[in-house]
Structure formats: structure tokens, C-alpha cells
Amino acid sequence: MNISDYVKHDAVALSKLIKHGEVTVNELIDAAFSRLEEVNPELNAVIRTRKEQVKIESKQLDIRHQPFAGVPILLKDISQALKGEPLTAGAKLLSSYKPKRDSNFVAKLRGAGFLFLGQTNTPEYGLKNISEPELYGPSRNPWNTDYSPGGSSGGSAAAVAAGIVPLAGASDGGGSIRIPASFTGLFGLKPTRGRTPVGPGAGRQWQGASIDFVLSRTVRDSAALLDILQTIQPEAAFQTPLFPGQYEEDMKKGLERPLKIAFSVESPVGTPVSDEAKQAVRRTVRWLEAQGHHVEEQTNGVDGIRLMENYYLMNSGEISAMILGMEKTLGRAITVQDVEIVTWVLNEAGKKVSAAEFTASLASWDRAAAQMAAFHETYDLYVTPATAYPAPKVGELTHTEKEAEALLKVSELEKIEQQSLIYQMFLKSLTYTPFTQLANLTGQPAMSVPVHLTNEGLPLGVQVTAPKGKEHWLLRTAHLLEQSDLWIGMKGNPMLGSL
């Protein structure tokens, strides 16, 4: 199989070619690595490969019974652990860490027959909406390499958008699937909290804000992966009832009744929203209205600024707890030289967060979830921009030395001042991506659909959020959009245009 043919197929199509004997697993492996070697030096999407291991593992596949036997995939270099292989989370402190077993997420993918080509770039501890860790350097956007593919699943997004793999492992704790999907023209679904595996050794990730899933070029690939990955996990803190059907088949049913749909183009934190993002939403809702759905412009009523303050408080507590655990393991204090400035600020602030404050911050998530549940009693779906702007340039959102020096004063500040500093530290990034965090804190499913190309030739996604457990509503909607003229997919992607 040549590269041109390889990049035109999604994971479902590749699995069928293998099962029908039209292509061999080794041919797929060779095509994938050829594409990786061709484009990755420019993109820096993949930071670690395992070609020899893949060749060995390919001999252990059961093509008849494993639905994706032999299909190449990449894993994100955080939370998606491969036994005995590095998992650094983009952090210097973890550069020599090797997990002792596969994560439950990876074990499910391995059981389905996927072959893990390597791991993708991510910001340190997944804390940013760009992927520019000091340890590995920045990933770049296949649509225009002057721009970022986003984060924290930026390496995965760049790899999929460049045709290295049809889909890649990703995670989403504040938009880290939907943000890079918006910036790179991909389909990005964040499932309901508790839908996909967590752990081992942890029943929740970021108190339930973060989930593991994938980024894909086609809706059916994400639907098929949700069929494989959905689980009832006894040790998990959060569970959601299994969907009784097959997502990949159900998405073809269409929307069986007219829906009532709310939309908003207002930033929930009062920051500006680009005209391009507003245009993308309005074009999408006009299309939905033309399909017979009732559409109203309506905000959800959640206090977005307060919610983000509580989100950052959780971040600071989680990072401080993580650093404390590392100090115990290493037997020494961790210094500012060991971590990037964002990690340091969150760690220092987290030391002053009380248990009562942490608990109160989580309670605000539950209040927002109740507000959204009430909102969805009236509206089936909620449409907003996925991101307020197209992708930032590489380096644009990374703190300068001068900014980092100012942030180092965090240790001298009082508790309230520290939390204010965190908000300001993230504000420039938040201005690009204010819409995604809500679904993480309420636990709802949400997706970014690639339905807009800016005048500068950059993708820009639209977000659709559904009630908990209603991923099938999102997939049905996305499947219909995918067949419309709105869907841009990889049309116009210069890195794929020559193939």
C-alpha cells in the first residue's frame, strides 16, 4: 500500500482491507512509518516510536476476532501507559519513568488489535491548550506549520491531520480533544464522564474532569472506538450506563424527531470571540434549522468566570498533590528548576488550598451540572464555538522570560492573590478557548465538528454539547453534518493535498 492510498482510509476502512486480505498488516506498518518519517521532522507530533516492537506484536494478532487487528494508532504521552515503556507527560521529572503495566484504556485498544506506533507530544502534565513542552519542543499544525495544533492532545491532532495514523489516543480535561480538533480540522468527541476506562490505580482523573478517548478524521471511527471503549468499571469513581446499541450503526439513523437547539456565540468568561467563530456557529445553526430543528439563541446561565476560578483551584490542588507524591518518591524537594513555570505556580498555590476550599470548588461543579441538566430539559443540544479563534502561532501562548519572572513571585503572595495570579496566567490562553471547560466539569458529552475554514485557510470547529449519556445524539448529528457541504474535514489541508 502506497502512502497516498494509506492516508485516504480511516481506521474502519483499513480494518476491512486487512480482514478481506486486500492489504497485509506489514504493508500498513510500513506505510504508516513511511508517512511518519516524511512529515514528523517538520511537525514534531510524535516524540517516541517503537517500530521493532510493532513488528513483533503484529505476529500475535488475531485478524478474525480482533476488530481493528493491524490498524496503526498513536498514544498520547500522558495517562495512556504502555508497560515498560517511557511515559513522561512532557515533563523532565518523568523522563525516566516506565509504567509496570498497560493502562486500562490502552489494554482495551490492545485487545481490539490496534498496533501502537509510538507516543505523541503533549505539554507538561497536560496543563496547556498548546503543545510546546520544554522537554520535546513545540508540535506544529499540518495546515500551516507556523501555527500550533493546540493542546493538550496537540501531537495526536497533528499526527492524524497529517495522515500518519487515521486516529490517535487523546485525553480531555478542559478541552484537550476538542481544542486541537478545532485547530486541525478533525472530529473530536469528549464522551460522558465515566464512559471510558480510567486507571489502573486511580478511579478518577482530575476529579472526573478528564477522560481518555481519541481524535479522528471521520465520525464513524470515533463511533467505532466508543463501541470498543465504553465500559462499566467497578473500581471507577464515576460510571454511566452502557449504551445498548452499537454507536457505529446507530449514528446512521439520523435524528428521529425535530430537536430544540440553543446556541450562543458569547464567551462564558466575557472575553472576545472572533467574527470567524461567530460565523461558523451561525452557519451551522442555520443548517440545523433548515433540517427542521427549532433553534434559539440562548446562554446557559452558568457563571463561567466563577466556574473557571474553581477549575483552576482544582488544578492547583491536583498539581500540588502530585508534586508532593513525587517528592516522597524521589526523597528530595522539587525545585523550580525541575518543572515549567505553569506547573510551579499551580504547585505553590495548591499548598495553600484548604480541604474545605477544594471541596467547595467541586460543589460548584455539581451546581453547574444541575443548571445544565435543567437547561437540557428545554434544549436537546447546545451549540457554541469550539474555540473562539483559530489556532495561535507557535510560541504565542508560551510565557516569555519576563512573564515567567513575574510568575515566580507566586510564593510571596497570599492565597487569594495566588488564585488571581493563576487566572491571569491562563487568561491569554483562555481567550482562545473559553467554551470547552464546562462539559468537563458537568460531565456531559461534547464534540468539535470541522465545519469552517477561515479566510487565512485555518480550520475552526463548532462545539455541540448534549445531556449526559447522549453521545448517540452527537454522533447522529455529526454524521449528518459530515455529509453536508459544511464539513471541511481535510479539504484544503496542504499537507494532504499533494497526496
Side-chain angles (χ1 to χ4, degrees), residues 281-428:
V281 169
R282 294 190 188 281
R283 287 177 64 230
T284 303
V285 296
R286 282 198 300 268
W287 181 87
L288 288 165
E289 198 166 34
Q291 308 308 303
H293 305 293
H294 178 76
V295 176
E296 293 180 11
E297 187 165 8
Q298 184 66 256
T299 57
N300 59 37
V302 175
D303 183 342
I305 292 176
R306 183 61 183 146
L307 198 66
M308 287 307 304
E309 289 171 344
N310 282 308
Y311 177 69
Y312 294 144
L313 190 145
M314 177 276 295
N315 287 154
S316 59
E318 289 283 318
I319 292 301
S320 190
M322 179 191 73
I323 294 297
L324 183 62
M326 288 183 176
E327 289 179 333
K328 290 179 179 178
T329 299
L330 295 172
R332 67 171 179 86
I334 288 172
T335 70
V336 69
Q337 283 75 35
D338 292 315
V339 296
E340 295 183 22
I341 188 62
V342 168
T343 304
W344 182 255
V345 171
L346 289 170
N347 174 49
E348 288 297 288
K351 292 176 182 178
K352 293 184 179 179
V353 173
S354 71
E357 289 165 330
F358 195 82
T359 299
S361 76
L362 297 183
S364 77
W365 299 15
D366 296 339
R367 288 192 294 273
Q371 283 181 269
M372 288 305 295
F375 183 79
H376 283 294
E377 289 178 5
T378 301
Y379 300 104
D380 299 301
L381 300 177
Y382 185 48
V383 179
T384 67
T387 56
Y389 292 86
K393 285 194 170 182
V394 171
E396 181 181 338
L397 299 182
T398 290
H399 292 100
T400 65
E401 288 187 15
K402 184 177 180 180
E403 289 170 336
E405 286 178 10
L407 290 170
L408 282 174
K409 297 179 181 178
V410 62
S411 307
E412 306 166 12
L413 302 177
E414 297 299 319
K415 184 192 306 183
I416 294 176
E417 295 173 315
Q418 287 180 332
Q419 292 300 320
S420 177
L421 179 69
I422 290 171
Y423 199 97
Q424 292 302 313
M425 176 177 72
F426 281 119
L427 184 56
K428 193 174 180 181

Side-chain angles (χ1 to χ4, degrees), residues 473-491:
W473 288 3
L474 297 179
L475 291 167
R476 289 179 184 184
T477 304
H479 181 62
L480 291 170
L481 278 166
E482 193 174 25
Q483 300 168 70
S484 77
D485 292 336
L486 289 180
W487 195 271
I488 63 163
M490 293 296 104
K491 289 181 290 187

Side-chain angles (χ1 to χ4, degrees), residues 81-102:
L82 280 167
K83 179 182 178 181
E85 300 197 23
L87 185 72
T88 67
K92 292 176 286 186
L93 277 173
L94 295 176
S95 58
S96 60
Y97 172 67
K98 294 182 179 180
K100 295 180 180 179
R101 57 165 286 186
D102 288 351

Side-chain angles (χ1 to χ4, degrees), residues 198-205 208 233 235-238:
V198 297
R204 69 189 73 206
Q205 296 176 149
Q233 194 176 336
E235 71 273 30
F238 307 104

Side-chain angles (χ1 to χ4, degrees), residues 32-355:
F33 275 107
S34 293
R35 183 61 174 166
L36 189 155
E37 291 158 7
E38 177 185 5
V39 300
N40 197 57
E42 187 175 10
L43 296 177
N44 193 33
V46 183
I47 47 91
R48 194 175 304 111
T49 58
R50 49 194 309 275
K51 191 170 186 177
E52 294 308 312
Q53 298 98 311
V54 167
K55 292 282 189 180
I56 294 169
E57 290 166 1
S58 69
K59 297 174 183 178
Q60 302 165 1
L61 296 171
D62 184 348
I63 291 174
R64 288 183 58 194
H65 297 104
Q66 291 178 303
F68 286 94
V71 175
I73 194 171
L74 289 158
L75 298 172
K76 184 177 178 180
D77 187 36
I78 186 171
S79 76
Q80 297 174 3
L82 280 167
K83 179 182 178 181
E85 300 197 23
L87 185 72
T88 67
K92 292 176 286 186
L93 277 173
L94 295 176
S95 58
S96 60
Y97 172 67
K98 294 182 179 180
K100 295 180 180 179
R101 57 165 286 186
D102 288 351
S103 71
N104 293 328
F105 177 85
V106 168
K108 279 269 195 178
L109 294 177
R110 191 189 293 279
F114 282 102
L115 291 175
F116 308 120
L117 303 191
Q119 292 162 311
T120 60
N121 205 5
T122 187
E124 185 175 72
Y125 303 118
L127 291 173
K128 298 181 182 179
N129 60 2
I130 52 171
S131 298
E132 302 178 14
E134 293 175 7
L135 184 62
Y136 298 115
S139 291
R140 295 180 178 271
N141 195 321
W143 290 77
N144 185 329
T145 53
D146 290 337
Y147 291 83
S148 172
S152 63
S153 306
S156 290
V160 175
I164 296 173
V165 285
L167 47 74
S171 58
D172 193 319
S176 291
I177 287 174
R178 290 157 289 151
I179 291 165
S182 176
F183 289 161
T184 60
L186 298 179
F187 178 62
L189 173 69
K190 183 202 83 70
T192 299
R193 180 184 294 157
R195 176 74 73 197
T196 58
V198 297
R204 69 189 73 206
Q205 296 176 149
W206 276 13
Q207 302 303 314
S210 184
I211 57 89
D212 283 290
F213 195 51
V214 297
L215 279 156
S216 66
R217 290 197 296 267
T218 66
V219 178
R220 72 173 181 177
D221 269 2
S222 285
L225 265 289
L226 202 57
D227 284 327
I228 288 167
L229 289 166
Q230 73 159 334
T231 185
I232 297 290
Q233 194 176 336
E235 71 273 30
F238 307 104
Q239 299 176 357
T240 193
L242 294 176
F243 180 64
Q246 288 287 310
Y247 285 110
E248 189 185 351
E249 291 302 315
D250 182 88
M251 73 175 194
K252 302 172 188 175
K253 292 180 179 179
L255 296 164
E256 296 169 339
R257 61 175 174 84
L259 301 181
K260 194 167 184 182
I261 298 170
F263 77 95
S264 176
V265 293
E266 294 181 19
S267 165
V269 296
T271 49
V273 177
S274 70
D275 289 339
E276 295 270 16
K278 293 177 182 179
Q279 180 185 344
V281 169
R282 294 190 188 281
R283 287 177 64 230
T284 303
V285 296
R286 282 198 300 268
W287 181 87
L288 288 165
E289 198 166 34
Q291 308 308 303
H293 305 293
H294 178 76
V295 176
E296 293 180 11
E297 187 165 8
Q298 184 66 256
T299 57
N300 59 37
V302 175
D303 183 342
I305 292 176
R306 183 61 183 146
L307 198 66
M308 287 307 304
E309 289 171 344
N310 282 308
Y311 177 69
Y312 294 144
L313 190 145
M314 177 276 295
N315 287 154
S316 59
E318 289 283 318
I319 292 301
S320 190
M322 179 191 73
I323 294 297
L324 183 62
M326 288 183 176
E327 289 179 333
K328 290 179 179 178
T329 299
L330 295 172
R332 67 171 179 86
I334 288 172
T335 70
V336 69
Q337 283 75 35
D338 292 315
V339 296
E340 295 183 22
I341 188 62
V342 168
T343 304
W344 182 255
V345 171
L346 289 170
N347 174 49
E348 288 297 288
K351 292 176 182 178
K352 293 184 179 179
V353 173
S354 71

